[in-house]
Amino acid sequence: MSYSRGSFDLVGHNIIFIPEGYIDHLPPINNIIIKATHPEEQWIEDVTEQIGDWRAKLRSTYIRWSLAINGLHVAAEKYADPEWAKQHRFVVESLRPDDSVIANWDGQTASEAHRKTVPMLTAFGIIDLYANLEEVIFSLYRTYLNYHPNKILEGDDFKELRQLQRQAKTDASQRAVWEKAWQEQLNRWHRKKLYDGLGKVFKAFCNSAAIKAPSTYEHTTVETWAEFIEIIALLRNALIHGATTVSEELAAVCARPYASTFDFTEGKPLVINLYHLQGVDLFCEQLLTALNLSLLELVYGSVGKNYYTYGG
């Protein structure tokens, strides 16, 4: 994760070994790391090893924005206190040479300014969570492609790369050359895919890896997950580009039954509240759970509801 956005983990997780004989009697856990028993399952092990870390980082991202929002509310209460206002003024200073003090407020004015800033932080929180979600999806997809490079090396344009891949399998001296060339191609693929839209990228990953909704899921599918990612993307784009009212497109997708906490109405002011941020956090959490359980079923088949008791 980018340090510019803050990457410290406020959650963490512990890894507990569970003997294979206990597979039908799992304790309360959020993530299941599937140990590969065949080479074709190694990508699944690698992906499931990442899910716990990503869950902790996504949750930490939400917590950090919650802390900032809470701080605004605490400050607003402090500055609204008449006892504080009797002895203090709220001052904002800058490095401007002509006027270093750019705000000098009484307590009530400072309190109102802090409360008015809350929607801005919730909006920035959604933008940040989306950026993290993008990292998650591309990280998992790239992990899969590292084990299945031919998924993106089809066609005449990649003849030389495929030849280099074959040489690397029989000639150890060519392995580093192949790996360097492959990572360069994977990076090019990544940059190009950024323009496809994250929902489409996620759906392509699931289709390539044969990931489906777990067998006990009745109301959502890979398609609805991908569409909700696109809903978040629409909101994120509106926020980045300074939209002040709800567009027709955003309002239309918010009318869908799986739009979660997104309740925007066309033409109304685009105001972000805490529950919108909470909805994105909830989706990220449930998406990782669904992916984990889907991968479990890829290996073990339909595993039943006992696996889902503590999945969310």
Side-chain angles (χ1 to χ4, degrees), residues 218-289:
E218 298 178 356
H219 304 294
T220 64
T221 64
V222 166
E223 288 72 22
T224 61
W225 304 341
E227 289 190 32
F228 189 67
I229 292 171
E230 286 302 314
I231 295 175
I232 303 173
L234 278 174
L235 177 58
R236 173 254 192 189
N237 292 341
L239 295 173
I240 285 178
H241 295 293
T244 57
T245 58
V246 179
S247 68
E248 179 182 359
E249 184 180 16
L250 179 59
V253 295
C254 288
R256 296 174 182 174
Y258 45 82
S260 185
T261 57
F262 285 16
D263 55 359
F264 302 106
T265 302
E266 181 183 356
K268 295 289 186 180
L270 181 57
V271 178
I272 307 302
N273 293 305
L274 180 59
Y275 65 85
H276 297 128
L277 179 60
Q278 290 172 330
V280 177
D281 168 67
L282 174 63
F283 173 76
C284 291
E285 175 81 1
Q286 293 185 334
L287 181 66
L288 289 177
T289 296

Side-chain angles (χ1 to χ4, degrees), residues 117-218:
T117 305
V118 170
M120 181 189 75
L121 284 194
T122 54
F124 287 169
I126 287 176
I127 293 169
D128 194 14
L129 270 176
Y130 179 85
N132 279 269
L133 182 60
E134 182 176 86
E135 288 190 54
V136 172
I137 291 171
F138 272 104
S139 176
L140 302 186
Y141 201 168
R142 286 175 67 112
T143 299
Y144 171 79
L145 290 174
N146 277 325
Y147 288 94
H148 305 86
N150 288 338
K151 290 283 186 176
I152 61 171
L153 294 181
E154 298 176 347
D156 293 339
D157 291 343
F158 303 108
K159 280 184 178 180
E160 292 183 5
L161 270 175
R162 292 197 300 270
Q163 182 179 1
L164 190 59
Q165 180 189 25
R166 290 192 295 269
Q167 291 173 347
K169 291 179 180 179
T170 57
D171 184 351
S173 67
Q174 294 297 307
R175 290 174 189 168
V177 179
W178 151 250
E179 185 60 31
K180 181 176 183 294
W182 162 244
Q183 290 303 319
E184 289 174 350
Q185 172 55 33
L186 189 58
N187 289 337
R188 286 192 293 270
W189 167 88
H190 189 151
R191 289 191 294 271
K192 184 177 179 180
K193 278 291 179 182
L194 287 170
Y195 295 98
D196 286 357
L198 191 57
K200 290 182 179 178
V201 173
F202 173 77
K203 190 173 179 180
F205 164 54
C206 291
N207 289 341
S208 295
I211 292 173
K212 300 178 180 179
S215 58
T216 59
Y217 281 38
E218 298 178 356

Side-chain angles (χ1 to χ4, degrees), residues 80-113:
D81 184 350
E83 293 301 316
W84 183 93
K86 287 179 181 179
Q87 303 180 43
H88 301 89
R89 299 279 296 179
F90 184 88
V91 176
V92 179
E93 295 183 342
S94 77
L95 296 178
R96 302 177 187 188
D98 56 335
D99 187 4
S100 62
V101 176
I102 59 176
N104 189 326
W105 297 330
D106 60 56
Q108 190 59 42
T109 301
S111 176
E112 292 173 0

